[in-house]
């Protein structure tokens, strides 16, 4: 009888699932945890010229994205301060730059800001958490060029932390042209150890290799090439780590081009054709009339060693065929 009584209080407390996702707002950021462990935070306040996730962590808590410029870590490179965690923006929208748009960069060309309009959904759950936002892409006079609705789903895939992005861009001007430039669009800045070895690499050993769905490896063979997915992977403190980005088959111009660099920039960009083909006659721009939309879907898998292209292909097909 005593043993039964002791068990009753324990039954009153819910068991935390290993995949339970919690979302907690703290001012102008939302902290995401999976299974009670920090995964990432989403920053969207007026101090952010574009919204971004920082940092991204693997399921064991290892940070796989660069800390700079949000934080300073010894040995990290301090180039391209507009590369903030994981983000979505573009370098030429009606001639306005939403990519390299830090305050100190405003001396060079027209700049824009991606500003929060509303938080539309904030839903935590046993196996996933979902946030939906509305943003406005404004020039510095406050004129809206684009309205963006973004949904992010945080969850686990085969034991790996993952984020699904569903982004709908709607033209707010009479015409909106997403110009042909390599400076875009859906991007992650990799942790220093996961970079490929490159001429600027100093101090911290680099372990990364870029691989695409066709088996091509390194920046030299993947930059500017089309592929349904790319994996950027190596090790951190001797443990396999990496990030794979999937481009949905329904996305414009699928499979996307990749603006992926050995120094750690990892971006999907459908627009930059004249750069990627080294052909000034090509025009990869897309123009929308007022009210027309572009929809982009991506999956980001922060993994602990996927063991080659066959497993990534399986994960990609499972996601692509389920949407």
């Amino acid at each position: 009888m005593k043993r039964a009584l002791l068990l009753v209080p324990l039954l009153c407390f819910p068991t935390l699932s290993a995949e339970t996702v919690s979302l907690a707002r703290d001012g102008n950021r939302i902290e995401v945890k999976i299974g009670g462990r920090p995964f990432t935070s989403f920053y969207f306040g007026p101090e952010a010229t574009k919204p971004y996730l920082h940092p991204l962590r693997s399921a064991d808590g290892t940070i796989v994205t660069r800390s700079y410029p949000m934080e300073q870590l010894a040995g990290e490179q301090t180039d391209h301060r507009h590369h903030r965690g994981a983000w979505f923006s573009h370098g030429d929208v009606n001639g306005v730059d939403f990519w390299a748009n830090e305050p100190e960069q405003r001396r060079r060309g027209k700049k824009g800001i991606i500003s929060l309009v509303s938080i539309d959904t904030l839903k935590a759950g046993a196996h996933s958490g979902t946030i939906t936002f509305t943003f406005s892409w404004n020039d510095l006079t406050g004129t809206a060029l684009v309205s963006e609705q973004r949904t992010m789903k945080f969850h686990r895939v085969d034991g790996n932390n993952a984020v699904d992005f569903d982004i709908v861009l709607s033209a707010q001007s009479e015409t909106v042209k997403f110009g042909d430039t390599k400076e875009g669009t859906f991007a992650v800045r990799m942790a220093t150890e996961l970079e490929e070895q490159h001429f600027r690499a100093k101090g911290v050993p680099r372990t990364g290799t870029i691989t695409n769905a066709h088996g091509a490896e390194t920046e030299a063979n993947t930059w500017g090439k089309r592929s349904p997915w790319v994996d950027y992977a190596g090790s951190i403190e001797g443990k396999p780590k990496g990030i794979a980005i999937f481009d949905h088959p329904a996305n414009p111009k699928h499979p996307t081009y990749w603006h992926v660099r050995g120094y750690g920039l990892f971006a999907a960009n459908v627009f930059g054709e004249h750069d990627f083909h080294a052909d000034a006659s090509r025009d990869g721009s897309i123009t929308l009339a007022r009210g027309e939309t572009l929809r982009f879907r991506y999956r980001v898998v922060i993994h602990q060693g996927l063991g080659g292209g066959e497993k990534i292909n399986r994960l990609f097909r499972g996601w692509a065929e389920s949407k």
Side-chain angles (χ1 to χ4, degrees), residues 95-107:
V96 178
D97 185 356
F98 292 90
W99 177 262
N101 64 341
E102 298 287 318
E104 65 272 20
Q105 295 172 319
R106 291 175 184 171
R107 298 185 302 274

Side-chain angles (χ1 to χ4, degrees), residues 224-268:
K225 303 299 191 296
R226 302 180 77 172
S227 180
W229 57 260
V230 167
D231 183 41
Y232 205 139
S235 63
I236 295 178
E237 296 182 349
K239 298 177 181 179
K241 296 285 180 269
I243 298 177
I245 300 179
F246 301 163
D247 180 60
H248 196 274
N251 282 354
K253 299 187 195 177
H254 176 83
T256 190
Y257 296 88
W258 294 89
H259 181 27
V260 57
R261 297 292 199 186
Y263 67 78
L265 175 63
F266 185 11

